Amino acid sequence: MKSSLRAPVAGALAAVLALSVGEVLAVPPFGVAPPAAECDDCAFVTLQCNACHVIPGVPAAARTDSCASCHAWVQGVSANPTAREKAMQIFPKWARYEQNVKSYFVVPELGVAAVRLDPAWVRAYLSDPYDVRPGMPETMVRLGTSPGTLEATEWIVAWFTQRSAAFPLTPRPSIENVDAGSALFASRACTACHTFGGLFLGPGLPEAPDLQHARDRMTDDALVAWIQSPSSFGSTRMPDLGLTLDEALKLRDFLVLADPGTASGSAGATNLVSTARSAVPAPRWDDVESRVFGKICVHCHMDPAQNEGRGGPGNAGGFGWPATGLELQTYGSVKANEDVILTAMRRRNGEAVRDFVKAGQKPEVIHRPALPGMPLGLPPIPPDDVAMVELWYQNGAPE
């Protein structure tokens, strides 16, 4: 099992604490991280991490360039009758925005995440992300693969490493604690928020990770400290449960040694796109625009002429991927790019077994294609909608 062997964060204990089974661990303020220099053009900005995440020392992306803040703005305006009435006058499709904006409301704050996550896992996850929160429709976007992007990724890993805490050393995990840890997982209301593979299926909170992945994301020592005192890591929704060290160790050992009882992420999966029937019998542009392109694709593939010069990360480049020059907001551009569009949609269907799994499943290990499927970071387009787009093209893309 892994142990924590890292440079201490300012404020963390420099020496190993004397631990007695049954006592409450005196947890230092792990969340006191070194001050972060202002970062106007660092990797977090160039890879657009600040479009979703709050990052110490990194300015938030402008609302027009940020998934999270734009969606929060739509939600806030919709809750204010006066502001909503004005928005309806300015934006003819405001009602559609309200209906479609359902993702990126809750995203990890990276200052807290950096203190507890294992940098080795962060490196692997950035290169090949997978679904750790099966209750959420969105997931981490796959970053580009150019040498410049890989260099930027290493910068981010170094940033995480700098902020990693030196946790008190704990006993090695013991299989003898697994049953008791399982009982604690149930009795201490862990299941109110979390799932654990196929053993504890929730319902839980969508933003709470499936803890079958905790053994990979955190070191053994970090897990004990986190279980005992989440608030010592900084601002977090995870509550302090007042557990003794003995209880924390049993819970940790359950999380890292128990068989999570998961099924394959591809269990029951079929190529639904090939057998699906079109959602609309004789689709026209209004149908494919409202159900697919205007609902999902336009968020990243905007028409610069209609958006003050902004093309979005899919059109103008972003998340480490180069510009495609593909806008999916106008009839002419969508009609002219049939092969590119349908191929990207089908690629996403193949990635779903890793990027979007159900509770009780484990993400599959897959061979990633050179280019990502679309939509990036979101579930595949529903099969009946893909079939509708295919039929629309087959019928000559009628307006």
Side-chain angles (χ1 to χ4, degrees):
M1 292 299 166
K2 300 171 288 184
S3 294
S4 301
L5 299 174
R6 304 174 183 150
V9 169
L13 291 181
V16 176
L17 301 179
L19 304 179
S20 299
V21 173
E23 69 181 351
V24 176
L25 176 63
V27 182
F30 294 114
V32 182
E38 288 297 324
C39 167
D40 293 323
D41 60 354
C42 66
F44 284 127
V45 175
T46 58
L47 294 183
Q48 296 179 302
C49 305
N50 61 337
C52 292
H53 296 283
V54 174
I55 310 165
V58 181
R63 190 183 72 208
T64 51
D65 299 318
S66 169
C67 314
S69 61
C70 179
H71 290 193
W73 171 69
V74 172
Q75 188 180 55
V77 169
S78 298
N80 183 320
T82 301
R84 184 178 188 273
E85 182 178 358
K86 184 176 180 180
M88 295 285 283
Q89 296 171 357
I90 298 174
F91 304 101
K93 297 180 180 179
W94 183 263
R96 180 193 291 183
Y97 302 161
E98 293 177 329
Q99 181 180 7
N100 294 340
V101 170
K102 298 179 180 178
S103 56
Y104 298 107
F105 289 120
V106 181
V107 291
E109 196 279 304
L110 296 191
V112 176
V115 179
R116 61 187 177 85
L117 294 181
D118 185 346
W121 177 83
V122 172
R123 175 183 286 110
Y125 184 73
L126 290 176
S127 67
D128 190 14
Y130 57 90
D131 191 356
V132 299
R133 294 175 173 83
M136 297 185 75
E138 67 271 28
T139 189
M140 171 70 186
V141 300
R142 177 187 166 198
L143 299 176
T145 56
S146 70
T149 299
L150 297 179
E151 182 179 351
T153 299
E154 285 302 311
W155 186 96
I156 292 174
V157 173
W159 185 92
F160 271 78
T161 302
Q162 182 189 13
R163 284 155 180 79
S164 298
F167 300 104
L169 300 179
T170 58
R172 291 176 61 86
S174 170
I175 196 70
E176 295 178 357
N177 285 335
V178 169
D179 288 344
S182 177
L184 282 167
F185 194 87
S187 66
R188 297 309 295 262
C190 301
T191 54
C193 298
H194 294 283
T195 56
F196 180 77
L199 297 183
F200 293 97
L201 292 175
L205 293 177
E207 61 268 27
D210 183 340
L211 294 185
Q212 69 169 304
H213 306 297
R215 64 188 68 180
D216 300 317
R217 301 175 77 214
M218 300 171 67
T219 66
D220 297 337
D221 300 331
L223 267 171
V224 173
W226 174 253
I227 290 169
Q228 278 220 289
S229 183
S231 62
S232 297
F233 290 68
S235 177
T236 174
R237 297 184 67 184
M238 173 81 174
D240 286 350
L241 299 177
L243 298 175
T244 66
L245 174 60
D246 181 60
E247 290 172 323
L249 288 170
K250 288 175 178 175
L251 263 175
R252 186 275 311 269
D253 294 358
F254 165 69
L255 294 177
V256 301
L257 295 179
D259 180 353
T262 49
S264 166
S266 60
T270 58
N271 186 8
L272 297 176
V273 172
S274 64
T275 59
R277 306 182 72 175
S278 174
V280 178
R284 307 189 70 82
W285 168 244
D286 283 349
D287 299 310
V288 297
E289 194 277 335
S290 63
R291 293 181 64 94
V292 178
F293 298 106
K295 178 180 180 180
I296 300 172
C297 306
V298 72
H299 292 269
C300 291
H301 293 268
M302 297 186 289
D303 174 18
Q306 300 183 55
N307 295 278
E308 300 177 332
R310 298 187 302 276
N315 184 354
F319 306 120
W321 298 102
T324 64
L326 178 64
E327 64 90 352
L328 299 177
Q329 193 168 357
T330 65
Y331 168 80
S333 183
V334 172
K335 180 182 179 181
N337 288 281
E338 174 182 353
D339 290 341
V340 172
I341 291 169
L342 291 178
T343 299
M345 288 181 180
R346 292 168 184 148
R347 266 201 311 270
R348 194 66 180 138
N349 192 54
E351 293 174 323
V353 295
R354 181 166 181 81
D355 292 347
F356 303 96
V357 298
K358 298 178 181 178
Q361 294 181 336
K362 62 181 179 181
E364 286 289 291
V365 176
I366 62 173
H367 173 71
R368 293 282 189 182
L371 295 175
M374 295 291 133
L376 193 65
L378 292 173
I381 305 294
D384 57 346
D385 282 337
V386 175
M388 176 188 64
V389 174
E390 291 176 330
L391 181 59
W392 179 70
Y393 280 122
Q394 292 171 11
N395 292 343
E399 289 191 84

